[in-house]
Amino acid sequence: MSVANGKVSQLAAELSRRLATDKRYKILEAVMRRYDYRSHGLIEVLHAAQDSFGYLDEPTLYHIAAKLHLPLSKVLGVATFYNYFTLKPQGKHTCVVCLGTACYIKGGDRIVEAVQQRYHVKPGATTPDGELSLLIVRCVGSCSAAPVALFDGVLGTHLDADTALQRVAAMLREGLPEQSNGKTPVQEVER
Amino acid sequence: MARTLTINGQMVSARDEDTILRAAQDAGIHIPVLCHLDGLSDVGACRFCLVEVAGSNRLLPACTTRIQEGMVVQTDTEQLRNYRRHLIELLFAERNHVCAVCVANGNCEMQSLAIQLGMTHSRYDYMFPSLGVDLSHERFGLDHNRCIMCTRCVRACDEIEGAHTLDVFGRGAKARIVTDLGMPWGESPTCTSCGKCVMACPTGALFKQGSTVAEMTRDRSKLNFLKTAREERKWIV
Protein backbone atom coordinates (compact mmCIF):
# COMPACT_ATOMS: atom_id res chain seq x y z
CA MET A 1 0.00 0.00 0.00
CA SER A 2 1.39 3.36 -0.93
CA VAL A 3 -0.67 5.44 1.47
CA ALA A 4 1.52 7.53 3.77
CA ASN A 5 0.46 6.80 7.32
CA GLY A 6 2.20 6.29 10.66
CA LYS A 7 0.45 3.06 11.50
CA VAL A 8 0.96 1.58 8.04
CA SER A 9 4.67 2.44 7.92
CA GLN A 10 5.04 0.78 11.34
CA LEU A 11 3.36 -2.35 9.98
CA ALA A 12 5.46 -2.24 6.82
CA ALA A 13 8.69 -1.91 8.83
CA GLU A 14 7.77 -4.82 11.10
CA LEU A 15 6.80 -6.86 8.05
CA SER A 16 10.04 -6.27 6.14
CA ARG A 17 11.99 -7.27 9.28
CA ARG A 18 10.00 -10.51 9.42
CA LEU A 19 10.22 -11.22 5.69
CA ALA A 20 13.99 -11.12 5.96
CA THR A 21 14.21 -13.42 8.99
CA ASP A 22 11.10 -15.61 9.19
CA LYS A 23 11.06 -18.49 6.71
CA ARG A 24 7.36 -19.16 7.29
CA TYR A 25 6.54 -16.17 5.09
CA LYS A 26 8.13 -18.06 2.19
CA ILE A 27 5.58 -20.85 2.64
CA LEU A 28 2.83 -18.24 2.67
CA GLU A 29 4.27 -16.68 -0.48
CA ALA A 30 4.13 -20.05 -2.26
CA VAL A 31 0.46 -20.46 -1.38
CA MET A 32 -0.38 -16.95 -2.61
CA ARG A 33 1.54 -17.62 -5.82
CA ARG A 34 -0.45 -20.82 -6.32
CA TYR A 35 -3.60 -18.66 -6.35
CA ASP A 36 -1.86 -16.20 -8.67
CA TYR A 37 -2.35 -13.53 -5.97
CA ARG A 38 -6.05 -13.43 -6.85
CA SER A 39 -8.53 -12.22 -4.27
CA HIS A 40 -10.68 -15.38 -4.32
CA GLY A 41 -7.79 -17.25 -2.71
CA LEU A 42 -8.16 -15.21 0.50
CA ILE A 43 -9.64 -17.93 2.72
CA GLU A 44 -7.07 -20.51 1.58
CA VAL A 45 -4.26 -18.02 2.17
CA LEU A 46 -5.61 -17.20 5.65
CA HIS A 47 -5.71 -20.95 6.35
CA ALA A 48 -2.09 -21.31 5.29
CA ALA A 49 -1.07 -18.35 7.47
CA GLN A 50 -3.00 -19.66 10.47
CA ASP A 51 -1.38 -23.09 10.02
CA SER A 52 2.14 -21.63 9.74
CA PHE A 53 1.97 -19.05 12.52
CA GLY A 54 -0.76 -20.48 14.76
CA TYR A 55 -2.60 -17.17 14.64
CA LEU A 56 -3.08 -14.11 12.44
CA ASP A 57 -1.64 -10.81 13.64
CA GLU A 58 -1.74 -7.34 12.12
CA PRO A 59 1.50 -7.45 10.07
CA THR A 60 0.46 -10.79 8.55
CA LEU A 61 -3.06 -9.56 7.71
CA TYR A 62 -1.53 -6.41 6.25
CA HIS A 63 0.86 -8.51 4.17
CA ILE A 64 -1.95 -10.70 2.80
CA ALA A 65 -4.18 -7.70 2.00
CA ALA A 66 -1.36 -5.95 0.16
CA LYS A 67 -0.36 -9.04 -1.85
CA LEU A 68 -3.92 -9.95 -2.86
CA HIS A 69 -4.84 -6.28 -3.47
CA LEU A 70 -7.71 -6.49 -1.00
CA PRO A 71 -9.05 -3.86 1.43
CA LEU A 72 -7.53 -4.17 4.92
CA SER A 73 -10.97 -4.13 6.53
CA LYS A 74 -12.22 -6.94 4.30
CA VAL A 75 -9.29 -9.20 5.21
CA LEU A 76 -9.87 -8.47 8.92
CA GLY A 77 -13.61 -9.03 8.42
CA VAL A 78 -13.10 -12.47 6.88
CA ALA A 79 -10.48 -13.43 9.48
CA THR A 80 -12.90 -12.59 12.32
CA PHE A 81 -16.00 -14.11 10.69
CA TYR A 82 -14.69 -17.68 10.81
CA ASN A 83 -14.13 -19.17 14.23
CA TYR A 84 -11.21 -21.24 12.93
CA PHE A 85 -9.02 -18.16 12.60
CA THR A 86 -7.64 -16.49 15.68
CA LEU A 87 -5.95 -13.11 16.08
CA LYS A 88 -4.19 -14.07 19.31
CA PRO A 89 -1.38 -16.58 19.82
CA GLN A 90 -2.60 -19.95 21.03
CA GLY A 91 -1.14 -21.92 23.93
CA LYS A 92 1.31 -24.78 23.40
CA HIS A 93 -1.62 -27.18 23.78
CA THR A 94 -5.26 -26.73 22.83
CA CYS A 95 -8.40 -28.24 24.25
CA VAL A 96 -11.29 -27.68 21.85
CA VAL A 97 -14.64 -28.58 23.39
CA CYS A 98 -17.68 -29.08 21.19
CA LEU A 99 -20.88 -27.36 22.30
CA GLY A 100 -22.99 -28.29 19.31
CA THR A 101 -26.53 -29.43 20.06
CA ALA A 102 -25.74 -33.12 20.64
CA CYS A 103 -22.65 -32.45 22.76
CA TYR A 104 -24.42 -29.75 24.70
CA ILE A 105 -27.30 -32.06 25.61
CA LYS A 106 -24.83 -34.77 26.61
CA GLY A 107 -23.01 -32.42 29.01
CA GLY A 108 -20.36 -30.62 26.96
CA ASP A 109 -20.91 -27.55 29.14
CA ARG A 110 -19.76 -29.54 32.19
CA ILE A 111 -16.48 -30.36 30.43
CA VAL A 112 -15.92 -26.66 29.69
CA GLU A 113 -16.66 -25.80 33.32
CA ALA A 114 -14.31 -28.49 34.66
CA VAL A 115 -11.37 -27.39 32.46
CA GLN A 116 -12.13 -23.75 33.20
CA GLN A 117 -12.02 -24.33 36.97
CA ARG A 118 -9.01 -26.65 37.06
CA TYR A 119 -6.77 -24.49 34.85
CA HIS A 120 -8.27 -21.04 35.53
CA VAL A 121 -8.78 -20.33 31.85
CA LYS A 122 -11.86 -18.85 30.23
CA PRO A 123 -13.23 -20.21 26.93
CA GLY A 124 -11.37 -18.56 24.06
CA ALA A 125 -8.40 -17.70 26.29
CA THR A 126 -4.94 -19.11 27.08
CA THR A 127 -3.39 -19.77 30.48
CA PRO A 128 -0.87 -17.08 31.57
CA ASP A 129 2.02 -19.58 31.20
CA GLY A 130 1.00 -20.14 27.56
CA GLU A 131 0.57 -23.89 28.09
CA LEU A 132 -3.15 -24.39 27.44
CA SER A 133 -5.83 -22.75 25.29
CA LEU A 134 -9.47 -23.60 25.89
CA LEU A 135 -11.65 -23.20 22.82
CA ILE A 136 -15.33 -23.76 22.12
CA VAL A 137 -16.70 -24.91 18.77
CA ARG A 138 -20.14 -25.77 17.45
CA CYS A 139 -20.15 -29.29 16.06
CA VAL A 140 -17.08 -31.17 14.85
CA GLY A 141 -19.25 -33.69 12.98
CA SER A 142 -19.00 -36.55 15.49
CA CYS A 143 -22.40 -36.17 17.12
CA SER A 144 -22.90 -39.92 17.63
CA ALA A 145 -19.88 -39.91 19.97
CA ALA A 146 -21.11 -36.92 22.00
CA PRO A 147 -19.86 -35.25 24.02
CA VAL A 148 -16.56 -34.81 22.22
CA ALA A 149 -13.47 -32.61 22.50
CA LEU A 150 -10.21 -32.29 20.58
CA PHE A 151 -6.98 -32.54 22.55
CA ASP A 152 -4.22 -31.11 20.36
CA GLY A 153 -6.32 -32.15 17.39
CA VAL A 154 -7.00 -35.70 18.61
CA LEU A 155 -10.64 -36.53 19.10
CA GLY A 156 -11.84 -37.70 22.51
CA THR A 157 -15.29 -39.33 22.51
CA HIS A 158 -18.02 -40.08 25.08
CA LEU A 159 -16.30 -37.81 27.57
CA ASP A 160 -17.33 -36.60 30.96
CA ALA A 161 -15.69 -33.99 33.19
CA ASP A 162 -13.25 -36.48 34.76
CA THR A 163 -12.10 -38.23 31.58
CA ALA A 164 -11.72 -34.85 29.86
CA LEU A 165 -9.52 -33.56 32.69
CA GLN A 166 -7.41 -36.73 32.49
CA ARG A 167 -6.94 -36.19 28.77
CA VAL A 168 -5.92 -32.56 29.30
CA ALA A 169 -3.46 -33.55 32.04
CA ALA A 170 -1.96 -36.27 29.80
CA MET A 171 -1.67 -33.81 26.92
CA LEU A 172 0.15 -31.26 29.09
CA ARG A 173 2.55 -33.97 30.39
CA GLU A 174 3.46 -35.18 26.92
CA GLY A 175 5.20 -31.98 25.95
CA LEU A 176 4.87 -30.56 22.47
CA PRO A 177 2.27 -32.24 20.30
CA GLU A 178 3.31 -33.67 16.94
CA GLN A 179 1.33 -31.00 15.17
CA SER A 180 2.81 -27.97 16.86
CA ASN A 181 1.40 -25.46 14.40
CA GLY A 182 -1.96 -25.15 16.12
CA LYS A 183 -3.70 -26.94 13.28
CA THR A 184 -6.77 -28.90 14.19
CA PRO A 185 -9.06 -30.88 11.90
CA VAL A 186 -11.88 -28.49 12.77
CA GLN A 187 -12.59 -26.22 9.82
CA GLU A 188 -14.56 -23.01 9.85
CA VAL A 189 -16.96 -24.02 12.54
CA GLU A 190 -19.64 -21.60 13.57
CA ARG A 191 -19.30 -19.58 16.73
CA MET B 1 -39.14 -6.42 -21.12
CA ALA B 2 -42.25 -5.47 -19.19
CA ARG B 3 -43.86 -7.89 -16.76
CA THR B 4 -47.17 -7.70 -14.97
CA LEU B 5 -47.70 -8.69 -11.36
CA THR B 6 -50.18 -8.03 -8.59
CA ILE B 7 -49.16 -6.18 -5.43
CA ASN B 8 -51.81 -5.81 -2.71
CA GLY B 9 -54.51 -6.55 -5.29
CA GLN B 10 -53.23 -3.82 -7.61
CA MET B 11 -52.01 -4.68 -11.12
CA VAL B 12 -48.44 -3.41 -11.52
CA SER B 13 -46.24 -3.25 -14.59
CA ALA B 14 -42.47 -3.50 -14.07
CA ARG B 15 -39.23 -4.19 -15.91
CA ASP B 16 -37.93 -7.75 -16.07
CA GLU B 17 -34.88 -6.99 -13.92
CA ASP B 18 -36.80 -5.10 -11.22
CA THR B 19 -37.05 -6.31 -7.64
CA ILE B 20 -40.41 -6.49 -5.86
CA LEU B 21 -39.33 -3.42 -3.85
CA ARG B 22 -38.56 -1.40 -6.97
CA ALA B 23 -41.82 -2.41 -8.66
CA ALA B 24 -43.80 -1.49 -5.54
CA GLN B 25 -42.02 1.88 -5.15
CA ASP B 26 -42.64 2.73 -8.82
CA ALA B 27 -46.33 1.93 -8.31
CA GLY B 28 -46.48 4.13 -5.20
CA ILE B 29 -46.81 1.19 -2.80
CA HIS B 30 -44.82 1.67 0.41
CA ILE B 31 -42.73 -1.18 1.81
CA PRO B 32 -40.74 -0.42 4.99
CA VAL B 33 -36.94 -0.72 4.63
CA LEU B 34 -33.86 0.00 6.74
CA CYS B 35 -30.84 -1.57 5.04
CA HIS B 36 -31.94 -0.53 1.54
CA LEU B 37 -30.79 2.82 0.21
CA ASP B 38 -31.21 4.01 -3.37
CA GLY B 39 -27.79 4.01 -5.01
CA LEU B 40 -26.38 1.09 -2.99
CA SER B 41 -26.57 -2.65 -3.69
CA ASP B 42 -29.10 -4.66 -1.68
CA VAL B 43 -28.16 -7.28 0.90
CA GLY B 44 -31.48 -8.22 2.51
CA ALA B 45 -30.07 -7.74 6.01
CA CYS B 46 -32.79 -5.93 7.96
CA ARG B 47 -35.75 -8.15 6.97
CA PHE B 48 -38.26 -5.28 7.24
CA CYS B 49 -39.19 -5.61 3.55
CA LEU B 50 -40.26 -9.26 3.87
CA VAL B 51 -43.41 -9.85 1.84
CA GLU B 52 -45.81 -12.71 1.21
CA VAL B 53 -45.66 -14.21 -2.28
CA ALA B 54 -48.45 -16.59 -3.33
CA GLY B 55 -47.04 -20.07 -3.90
CA SER B 56 -44.05 -19.57 -1.60
CA ASN B 57 -44.25 -21.08 1.87
CA ARG B 58 -41.72 -18.62 3.27
CA LEU B 59 -41.49 -14.85 3.35
CA LEU B 60 -39.23 -13.22 0.77
CA PRO B 61 -37.23 -9.98 1.08
CA ALA B 62 -38.68 -7.52 -1.45
CA CYS B 63 -35.30 -5.81 -1.95
CA THR B 64 -33.47 -8.89 -3.28
CA THR B 65 -36.33 -10.84 -4.92
CA ARG B 66 -36.79 -10.35 -8.65
CA ILE B 67 -40.31 -10.02 -10.00
CA GLN B 68 -41.93 -12.75 -12.08
CA GLU B 69 -44.80 -12.66 -14.53
CA GLY B 70 -48.10 -13.16 -12.72
CA MET B 71 -46.56 -12.93 -9.23
CA VAL B 72 -49.11 -12.21 -6.48
CA VAL B 73 -47.54 -10.20 -3.63
CA GLN B 74 -48.93 -8.99 -0.30
CA THR B 75 -46.86 -6.33 1.51
CA ASP B 76 -49.03 -5.36 4.47
CA THR B 77 -50.77 -8.32 6.11
CA GLU B 78 -51.43 -8.88 9.81
CA GLN B 79 -48.63 -11.47 9.92
CA LEU B 80 -46.11 -9.09 8.32
CA ARG B 81 -47.10 -6.19 10.60
CA ASN B 82 -46.64 -8.47 13.59
CA TYR B 83 -43.17 -9.64 12.46
CA ARG B 84 -42.08 -6.08 11.69
CA ARG B 85 -43.09 -4.98 15.18
CA HIS B 86 -40.94 -7.74 16.66
CA LEU B 87 -38.04 -6.80 14.40
CA ILE B 88 -38.02 -3.14 15.40
CA GLU B 89 -38.36 -4.02 19.08
CA LEU B 90 -35.41 -6.42 18.81
CA LEU B 91 -33.34 -3.68 17.17
CA PHE B 92 -34.07 -1.31 20.04
CA ALA B 93 -33.27 -4.00 22.63
CA GLU B 94 -29.98 -5.03 21.00
CA ARG B 95 -27.92 -1.87 21.59
CA ASN B 96 -28.29 1.42 23.46
CA HIS B 97 -30.84 3.46 21.52
CA VAL B 98 -31.87 6.50 23.54
CA CYS B 99 -33.67 8.92 21.21
CA ALA B 100 -33.86 11.71 23.81
CA VAL B 101 -30.07 12.21 23.77
CA CYS B 102 -29.35 11.16 20.18
CA VAL B 103 -27.88 13.47 17.53
CA ALA B 104 -30.26 11.97 14.96
CA ASN B 105 -33.44 12.46 17.01
CA GLY B 106 -36.12 13.55 14.53
CA ASN B 107 -33.96 12.61 11.51
CA CYS B 108 -33.60 8.89 12.21
CA GLU B 109 -34.96 6.19 9.90
CA MET B 110 -35.13 3.67 12.73
CA GLN B 111 -37.13 6.10 14.87
CA SER B 112 -39.47 6.92 11.97
CA LEU B 113 -39.97 3.23 11.29
CA ALA B 114 -40.79 2.55 14.96
CA ILE B 115 -43.40 5.31 14.87
CA GLN B 116 -44.76 4.06 11.55
CA LEU B 117 -45.05 0.51 12.92
CA GLY B 118 -46.81 1.76 16.04
CA MET B 119 -44.12 0.68 18.50
CA THR B 120 -44.59 2.12 22.01
CA HIS B 121 -42.07 -0.02 23.92
CA SER B 122 -39.95 -3.13 23.47
CA ARG B 123 -41.27 -6.47 24.74
CA TYR B 124 -37.68 -7.71 24.91
CA ASP B 125 -35.25 -7.00 27.73
CA TYR B 126 -32.64 -4.45 26.73
CA MET B 127 -29.17 -5.98 26.45
CA PHE B 128 -27.30 -2.77 27.38
CA PRO B 129 -24.01 -3.89 25.79
CA SER B 130 -20.93 -1.90 26.77
CA LEU B 131 -19.87 -0.27 23.50
CA GLY B 132 -17.48 2.48 22.60
CA VAL B 133 -17.57 5.67 20.56
CA ASP B 134 -14.78 6.41 18.06
CA LEU B 135 -14.14 10.17 17.99
CA SER B 136 -10.61 9.96 16.60
CA HIS B 137 -11.60 11.29 13.17
CA GLU B 138 -11.30 15.06 12.94
CA ARG B 139 -14.69 15.55 11.25
CA PHE B 140 -16.86 12.52 11.99
CA GLY B 141 -17.76 10.20 14.86
CA LEU B 142 -18.85 6.55 15.06
CA ASP B 143 -21.09 5.55 17.98
CA HIS B 144 -21.42 1.75 18.12
CA ASN B 145 -24.25 2.12 20.65
CA ARG B 146 -26.55 3.42 17.91
CA CYS B 147 -25.41 1.12 15.09
CA ILE B 148 -27.90 -1.43 13.73
CA MET B 149 -25.39 -3.24 11.43
CA CYS B 150 -27.35 -2.41 8.27
CA THR B 151 -23.95 -2.12 6.48
CA ARG B 152 -25.09 0.88 4.43
CA CYS B 153 -21.87 2.71 5.38
CA VAL B 154 -19.78 -0.31 4.34
CA ARG B 155 -21.49 -0.41 0.94
CA ALA B 156 -21.30 3.37 0.44
CA CYS B 157 -17.56 3.28 1.20
CA ASP B 158 -16.94 0.32 -1.09
CA GLU B 159 -19.36 0.94 -3.96
CA ILE B 160 -19.59 4.74 -4.26
CA GLU B 161 -16.33 6.06 -2.81
CA GLY B 162 -14.32 2.92 -3.60
CA ALA B 163 -12.02 3.13 -0.58
CA HIS B 164 -13.51 0.18 1.35
CA THR B 165 -12.22 1.58 4.63
CA LEU B 166 -15.17 0.12 6.54
CA ASP B 167 -16.20 -3.50 6.96
CA VAL B 168 -17.78 -5.82 9.51
CA PHE B 169 -15.63 -7.32 12.27
CA GLY B 170 -16.77 -10.60 13.87
CA ARG B 171 -20.23 -12.04 13.56
CA GLY B 172 -23.61 -12.32 15.27
CA ALA B 173 -24.23 -10.20 18.36
CA LYS B 174 -20.49 -9.43 18.55
CA ALA B 175 -20.31 -7.91 15.07
CA ARG B 176 -19.01 -4.33 14.84
CA ILE B 177 -18.25 -1.84 12.10
CA VAL B 178 -14.47 -1.60 11.82
CA THR B 179 -12.02 0.72 10.05
CA ASP B 180 -9.14 -1.00 8.22
CA LEU B 181 -7.23 -3.35 10.56
CA GLY B 182 -9.18 -2.11 13.57
CA MET B 183 -7.19 1.08 14.04
CA PRO B 184 -8.98 4.23 15.25
CA TRP B 185 -10.86 5.95 12.41
CA GLY B 186 -8.62 9.01 12.65
CA GLU B 187 -5.54 6.86 11.94
CA SER B 188 -7.05 5.10 8.94
CA PRO B 189 -4.64 5.00 5.99
CA THR B 190 -7.45 4.54 3.47
CA CYS B 191 -10.27 6.86 4.63
CA THR B 192 -10.69 9.85 2.31
CA SER B 193 -12.92 11.72 4.81
CA CYS B 194 -15.53 12.00 2.04
CA GLY B 195 -18.45 11.57 4.44
CA LYS B 196 -20.45 9.16 2.27
CA CYS B 197 -20.76 6.70 5.16
CA VAL B 198 -22.21 9.52 7.28
CA MET B 199 -24.71 10.33 4.51
CA ALA B 200 -25.76 6.66 4.30
CA CYS B 201 -26.30 5.99 8.02
CA PRO B 202 -30.00 5.53 8.93
CA THR B 203 -29.47 6.25 12.64
CA GLY B 204 -27.17 8.43 14.74
CA ALA B 205 -24.30 5.94 14.64
CA LEU B 206 -22.30 8.03 12.17
CA PHE B 207 -22.41 11.75 12.70
CA LYS B 208 -20.59 15.02 12.15
CA GLN B 209 -18.44 16.09 15.07
CA GLY B 210 -19.93 18.96 17.00
CA SER B 211 -23.56 18.06 16.38
CA THR B 212 -25.69 17.80 19.48
CA VAL B 213 -29.16 16.33 20.16
CA ALA B 214 -31.40 16.31 17.06
CA GLU B 215 -28.91 18.43 15.07
CA MET B 216 -27.61 15.71 12.78
CA THR B 217 -29.37 16.01 9.42
CA ARG B 218 -28.13 14.36 6.24
CA ASP B 219 -28.92 14.17 2.56
CA ARG B 220 -29.14 10.47 1.82
CA SER B 221 -30.23 11.01 -1.80
CA LYS B 222 -26.71 12.30 -2.64
CA LEU B 223 -25.48 8.71 -2.93
CA ASN B 224 -27.96 7.84 -5.67
CA PHE B 225 -27.10 11.15 -7.38
CA LEU B 226 -23.42 10.19 -7.38
CA LYS B 227 -24.06 6.67 -8.60
CA THR B 228 -26.20 7.87 -11.52
CA ALA B 229 -23.64 10.54 -12.37
CA ARG B 230 -20.69 8.13 -12.28
CA GLU B 231 -22.26 5.14 -14.00
CA GLU B 232 -24.69 6.73 -16.42
CA ARG B 233 -23.09 10.16 -16.79
CA LYS B 234 -26.42 11.76 -15.87
CA TRP B 235 -26.54 14.54 -13.30
CA ILE B 236 -30.07 14.54 -11.94
CA VAL B 237 -30.48 17.43 -9.50
Side-chain angles (χ1 to χ4, degrees), chain B residues 24-235:
Chain B
Q25 282 174 341
D26 287 352
I29 297 165
H30 174 75
I31 297 176
V33 289
L34 262 188
C35 70
H36 167 87
L37 184 64
D38 284 344
L40 301 179
S41 65
D42 283 307
V43 291
C46 75
R47 315 311 279 177
F48 279 98
C49 72
L50 285 178
V51 293
E52 293 175 11
V53 176
S56 168
N57 56 5
R58 59 199 178 96
L59 304 172
L60 298 170
C63 68
T64 55
T65 308
R66 290 267 189 92
I67 57 147
Q68 280 170 7
E69 180 69 38
M71 214 176 207
V72 179
V73 182
Q74 290 292 337
T75 70
D76 195 27
T77 63
E78 188 55 44
Q79 179 189 222
L80 290 172
R81 280 197 293 272
N82 181 27
Y83 283 158
R84 285 173 189 151
R85 273 284 287 277
H86 279 282
L87 278 176
I88 193 83
E89 288 175 25
L90 283 165
L91 271 188
F92 270 90
E94 190 174 20
R95 294 202 182 178
N96 305 308
H97 298 282
V98 187
C99 299
V101 295
C102 180
V103 290
N105 191 2
N107 307 298
C108 172
E109 289 185 32
M110 181 177 165
Q111 186 186 40
S112 310
L113 191 56
I115 295 165
Q116 186 193 316
L117 297 173
M119 174 184 158
T120 52
H121 66 288
S122 178
R123 280 164 279 183
Y124 300 96
D125 288 339
Y126 278 60
M127 292 176 71
F128 297 121
S130 174
L131 299 168
V133 183
D134 187 341
L135 291 171
S136 58
H137 193 280
E138 60 175 346
R139 289 170 55 205
F140 310 121
L142 167 56
D143 186 346
H144 294 284
N145 296 285
R146 302 169 182 154
C147 175
I148 56 170
M149 299 306 294
C150 67
T151 70
R152 273 164 37 165
C153 54
V154 175
R155 284 173 281 151
C157 187
D158 175 57
E159 297 167 13
I160 313 276
E161 175 63 8
H164 203 121
T165 298
L166 302 172
D167 212 309
V168 177
F169 178 97
R171 66 195 296 176
K174 288 183 179 154
R176 304 281 180 270
I177 295 297
V178 72
T179 39
D180 296 313
L181 284 180
M183 51 269 271
W185 195 359
E187 291 169 27
S188 163
T190 60
C191 177
T192 61
S193 304
C194 71
K196 291 182 184 67
C197 51
V198 181
M199 282 181 216
C201 184
T203 70
L206 287 163
F207 55 91
K208 288 180 200 139
Q209 295 250 8
S211 35
T212 180
V213 176
E215 281 188 356
M216 185 56 213
T217 55
R218 55 191 109 213
D219 184 2
R220 298 186 176 98
S221 66
K222 276 248 170 61
L223 294 171
N224 199 36
F225 162 77
L226 274 177
K227 183 175 188 261
T228 320
R230 286 181 181 176
E231 291 181 3
E232 299 171 31
R233 309 298 290 166
K234 284 179 189 160
W235 287 262

Side-chain angles (χ1 to χ4, degrees), chain A residues 1 3 5 7-8 11 58 61-62 71-74 76-77 80-82 87 189-191, chain B residues 158 163-171 174 178-183 186-190:
Chain A
M1 191 167 291
V3 191
N5 176 282
K7 177 75 184 175
V8 165
L11 285 173
E58 280 190 2
L61 291 172
Y62 167 74
L72 295 170
S73 58
K74 181 158 201 155
L76 180 65
T80 55
F81 183 83
Y82 296 104
L87 305 189
V189 277
E190 263 194 297
R191 203 180 287 271
Chain B
D158 175 57
H164 203 121
T165 298
L166 302 172
D167 212 309
V168 177
F169 178 97
R171 66 195 296 176
K174 288 183 179 154
V178 72
T179 39
D180 296 313
L181 284 180
M183 51 269 271
E187 291 169 27
S188 163
T190 60

